Amino acid sequence: MSVHVVPVRTYLLVFAALLLLTATTTSVAFVDLGPFNNFAALGIAGVKAALVVLYFMHVRYGTRITPLVLAASAFWLLLLIGLSLADYATRGWLGVPGK
Amino acid sequence: MTTATEQAGETPRTHYLNVNYGIRSWLLTTDHKRIGILYLISVTLFFALGGVMAVLIRLELATPQGDLFQADQYNRLFTMHGILMIFFFLIPSIPAVLGNFLVPIMIGARDLAFPRLNLLSWYIFNIGGLFTFWALLHGGVDTGWTFYTPYSSTYSGTHVIAVALGIFIAGFSSILTGLNFVVTIHRMRAPGLTWFRLPLFIWSMYATSLIFILGTPVLAVTLLLLGAERLFHIGIFDPAIGGDPLLFQHLFWFYSHPAVYIMVLPAMGVVSEIIPAFARKKIFGYRFIAYASVALAVLGFLVWGHHMFVAGQSIYAATVFSVLSMLVAVPSAVKVFNWTATLYKGSISWETPMLYVLGFIGLFTMGGLTGVMLATLGIDLHVHDTYFIVAHFHYIMVGGAIMGYLGGLHYWWPKITGKLYPKVWSRIAAVVVFIGFNVTFFPQFILGYLGMPRRYHSYPPEFQVLNVMSSAGATILGVGYVIPLIYFFWSMRYGKDAASNPWGAVGLEWETTSPPPTDNFETTPVVTSEPYHYTRPAEAPGVL
Amino acid sequence: MSSDAISLPAHQFDSLEQQREVASLGMWVFLATEIMFFGGLFAAYTIYRVSYPLAFIAASRQLDVTLGTLNTAVLILSSLTMALAVRGAQQGKRAPMLAFLPLTMILGAVFLGVKAFEYHHKWVEHLVPGAGFLLPGADARHAQMFFCLYFAMTGLHALHMIIGLGILTVMLAMAWRGRFTSTYHNPMEVSGLYWHFVDIVWIFLFPLLYLVGRHG
């Protein structure tokens, strides 16, 4: 069986990192970084998610197709948000009511 | 390999239909083939219901006055017609009936990856249908199948939540079917069956499943939010607290545009199987068709704003969606060219499945070209919400998807049931359907262009002639649909037994008996040849 | 090894290995659908936050950062215990599963308890959308939109947690009966994937809901 058993130490390290990142994201939120607050919040969340995906969800030790499934869903979600924002972000540019 | 007795047309002793009997063996089956048949029964019932709505609509529209129904009742008619036909017939039709039956067989597997999930899908589908049917019995819904807010979220007094719930539940049925197909196709192909040896029907099932998986959940959450707004005043779309009704449309169409590819991609897959079989020729441009299928699934997600050109989105977004919508026509066109090239210098036989797919190619092309017209902002501005749109999507959905479905049913019926249907009647029906369809829907292009709006039960008297034509056509179309119903039933009792390969076609499904045994094959096939390796007509059919 | 343990693949599979890969891929594809399911809400959130930034800041400040951070830590800990439970299954050891599964469930229940407490608080403070909504200051209208999203998103998340607790109960029962071995433990593996996914959703929900414009 090609089941990779992750050492407990690895799990504990990931857990510590996740707690640290959580504390960081909360404290950073109280510091005024201007627009970078958003990047920081989402960026840290992204790193935390990546740690959970790679280690707790075993993606680091699994097949090639799993990251593909994940990447596809992330891409599709960005499509939904991005193309919708294309509407919202450009409303009123023309100076004509309703456009 | 088929034996001599099987080629002579004798039904083998045990197969998936007679391995056990009784209602429990059907209602608790996990055999993908039986589940396909269960779906066949369900979708046919919903088609009949949606068809009744259509009859009533066309009856009303035979006269300019709104004399058969009041406006409010008419709203419920076209809404329920759309909901039943789209969510409970077209979307499941080919994937859940033909896909369930054929996917494992075409890849040389014994069943799908998750057989019990497959059965659950069918039950979920019917539960969703039951909610919708309950709502129908209590007056239906009058919002249009598109459920636009704020009418659906605030003002409509009809059973919006029941129907939304019904569609929500049925959506999970498609999600699970898509999941089953994707995992099966990835992980359960027979030895030697590489991706580019797969039949194009499998490619189209795969592409369709991508849409099932990635699009349907967005519809699900949108319907959930609609229900939440109606029930709990969680007013995500409520303008009173800054909500944007257009957000509903963005979220709704993010699924519902790809949904039309859910309806058409499988039909295209059917066409790709039938054309080589009845032209006795290898498909032209196999890889292009395979890539085009996936391209359609992806590009189909980039164009939803073309349903909202007049709704109030920004002109820049509209332009982007317009350009992308022109782009999405390309993969479809690629397929049409490849099918045509396959026919060129082929040895054509006019069997019933071929009649349906030839009809598909012509009618889908017309529907698709009018789609490109609609992608043009200037034109859409004039014909949006007119009968031009109605004609456009019926050409694709009925002239395209349903013809593909019927063609597929006729092609694989001998495999599914082990019986042959009468050839003369089946050809007659195909021609009647084709004529009826065109008489029904071509006038609607003209009506729309002349300005007749959709979703109205009355119209200016100058439109009556074309409307009467359309209603007459609908009668012919209805007759065309009833004839196969009759002879399919007839064939199950009185039809001649079918050989393993009655069409002399190439494909794993034709290498097993008709009907197949429960585990599909005596031994797991090993694939060593390219798909569609048709021989010259002079050699015996079935020899590979 | 108990006689309940599975040693043969289901009839459609050629090997236990294939069955394991199929189970895993199946759950990942399901998680893809969940990403799109929550994704609709994230899209709505993004659009409204871009449209009403000030209202969102004012509204977000009504949430308790301490409780939110605490709850995040609770869920992360529950992911650790879940991973350790699955690890036990991979090794065919019953004891870690019987220890870490209940721990995971308790942590999940704690999370839900804290959320219930927060919901109650919102009710008392007139921050539940509807006729009784009341937030002093400019832009109360759009602040209500924030809370619509807050309840929709955390509500859907909580529903997934509850379902997760149900799944873990079944896993506990199966582990108790010795159904899992080192060669067959697919249900544990995929349950873990589900649980971690629900954690990841919260990892994104937390900053988006609790940490909007906290500075200044």
Side-chain angles (χ1 to χ4, degrees), chain A residues 77-87, chain B residues 304:
Chain A
L77 181 55
L78 287 174
L79 247 173
L80 169 62
I81 299 180
L83 264 180
S84 304
L85 272 180
D87 173 18
Chain B
W304 79 83

Side-chain angles (χ1 to χ4, degrees), chain B residues 249-281:
Chain B
Q249 294 188 31
H250 275 297
L251 292 174
F252 176 83
W253 287 112
F254 181 84
Y255 163 76
S256 298
H257 183 82
V260 316
Y261 295 102
I262 289 178
M263 297 186 261
V264 108
L265 269 171
M268 291 174 158
V270 170
V271 173
S272 296
E273 294 299 317
I274 290 178
I275 296 262
F278 296 103
R280 289 215 63 79
K281 204 171 152 242

Side-chain angles (χ1 to χ4, degrees), chain A:
Chain A
M1 291 300 293
S2 56
V3 172
H4 183 280
V5 180
V6 179
V8 177
R9 196 183 126 82
T10 310
Y11 281 154
L12 289 175
L13 280 173
V14 169
F15 170 66
L18 287 170
L19 281 186
L20 194 65
L21 287 168
T22 305
T24 309
T25 199
T26 303
S27 13
V28 165
F30 286 92
V31 178
D32 189 350
L33 299 170
F36 289 106
N37 274 111
N38 290 331
F39 286 116
L42 280 177
I44 294 175
V47 173
K48 287 163 79 177
L51 283 172
V52 174
V53 163
L54 286 170
Y55 292 99
F56 286 167
M57 297 172 90
H58 307 146
V59 168
R60 190 155 183 284
Y61 313 103
T63 61
R64 285 177 320 171
I65 196 173
T66 312
L68 206 64
V69 172
L70 254 180
S73 359
F75 173 71
W76 249 262
L77 181 55
L78 287 174
L79 247 173
L80 169 62
I81 299 180
L83 264 180
S84 304
L85 272 180
D87 173 18
Y88 287 92
T90 60
R91 285 195 190 171
W93 277 15
L94 206 55
V96 171
K99 290 278 167 246

Side-chain angles (χ1 to χ4, degrees), chain B residues 120-179:
Chain B
L120 183 66
S121 280
W122 181 73
Y123 277 104
I124 291 176
F125 177 72
N126 286 300
I127 291 172
L130 225 60
F131 273 95
T132 310
F133 186 63
W134 177 91
L136 179 65
L137 291 178
H138 287 82
V141 163
D142 64 351
T143 60
W145 80 276
T146 44
F147 288 107
Y148 280 3
T149 59
Y151 184 66
S152 61
S153 55
T154 312
Y155 300 105
S156 173
T158 57
H159 296 285
V160 173
I161 293 186
V163 175
L165 198 57
I167 298 173
F168 177 85
I169 294 171
F172 277 100
S173 152
S174 8
I175 288 174
L176 293 176
T177 298
L179 190 157

